[in-house]
Amino acid sequence: MRYTKQEQETIQTMKDYMKAIRSLKREKFHLFEEYNQLPSISSPTLEENKGIPISQITRMNDYTQRRELLLKRIDLFNQYIDEFMLYTLLLPTRQRQMIDAYMNTLSYAEMVEQLENTYFISISTYKRELPEICLLLSQVCHHMEIPTIEKINNDFYEKYIRHIK
């Protein structure tokens, strides 16, 4: 299907927007990994290290504060991701499945495999419907700016870190 120059720009903008949301989902995943890797309260890693003695209370305060800050940072990422995912509910099921496969896979080959094996959607259907998906989403996402990890990190710093110092 032929698209006008303005529609092509809109499609490209929405593709960039979806790439940004995808990168936010990956960053959120890594933050969850970091959150889950923090030692438990009774872990030997929270025991006193050799060298500089630090009180257990100080160690616990640092630990709990770090976990709270990670959760707040994850929550900021969730706000952007959830807002976009709400808009995808307006799409037909097959198009939502395509977006879901795109957002949750690590590589193009994995996405193609998931589309074909899980959702029974061919890659030609994906390529044909992707511009239509972008145009539909642009009607509801037109007011939103493309989120970046740097912007979210700056928001996090302004809301939470600056007040701690």
Side-chain angles (χ1 to χ4, degrees):
M1 187 171 179
R2 300 270 181 198
Y3 297 103
T4 65
K5 185 172 180 136
Q6 182 181 5
E7 288 175 332
Q8 289 174 351
E9 290 173 2
T10 302
I11 290 168
Q12 188 58 45
T13 302
M14 284 311 300
K15 284 181 180 179
D16 293 341
Y17 189 85
M18 288 191 293
K19 286 178 189 174
I21 295 295
R22 185 179 187 189
S23 67
L24 294 183
K25 283 188 91 159
R26 291 187 192 212
E27 181 67 17
K28 183 184 93 167
F29 173 77
H30 293 299
L31 289 173
F32 266 125
E33 288 293 314
E34 183 178 347
Y35 179 81
N36 290 333
Q37 288 177 358
L38 287 176
S40 66
I41 293 172
S42 60
S43 172
T45 58
L46 283 178
E47 298 295 322
E48 192 156 327
N49 295 330
K50 295 176 181 171
I52 302 170
I54 300 174
S55 74
Q56 193 68 18
I57 294 172
T58 304
R59 200 177 314 254
M60 284 300 299
N61 287 340
D62 291 346
Y63 168 76
T64 54
Q65 185 178 33
R66 184 170 179 203
R67 286 181 69 93
E68 287 174 8
L69 288 174
L70 274 173
L71 284 177
K72 289 177 182 178
R73 193 165 172 215
I74 289 168
D75 187 46
L76 284 175
F77 280 88
N78 278 337
Q79 289 174 5
Y80 287 94
I81 294 166
D82 291 345
E83 184 177 5
F84 174 74
M85 296 312 280
L86 278 174
Y87 291 136
T88 63
L89 293 175
L90 301 172
L91 298 173
T93 303
R94 182 171 61 180
Q95 292 178 349
R96 274 198 319 272
Q97 292 168 340
M98 289 179 201
I99 296 289
D100 185 56
Y102 175 75
M103 293 291 173
N104 295 320
T105 55
L106 297 176
S107 67
Y108 184 77
E110 187 180 339
M111 181 190 72
V112 169
E113 183 180 322
Q114 183 177 3
L115 284 173
E116 290 177 348
N117 296 336
T118 306
Y119 300 123
F120 305 106
I121 299 172
S122 68
I123 191 63
S124 61
T125 302
Y126 172 77
K127 288 180 180 180
R128 185 179 66 247
E129 289 195 22
L130 184 61
E132 295 172 24
I133 293 170
C134 291
L135 289 174
L136 285 171
L137 284 175
S138 71
Q139 294 173 4
V140 291
C141 295
H142 60 84
H143 65 281
M144 296 167 37
E145 65 181 73
I146 296 176
T148 61
I149 294 173
E150 295 84 25
K151 181 185 180 313
I152 294 173
N153 287 340
N154 289 338
D155 290 347
F156 174 73
Y157 176 77
E158 290 296 322
K159 287 181 180 179
Y160 303 111
I161 303 298
R162 180 175 271 185
H163 301 299
I164 294 174
K165 292 182 178 184

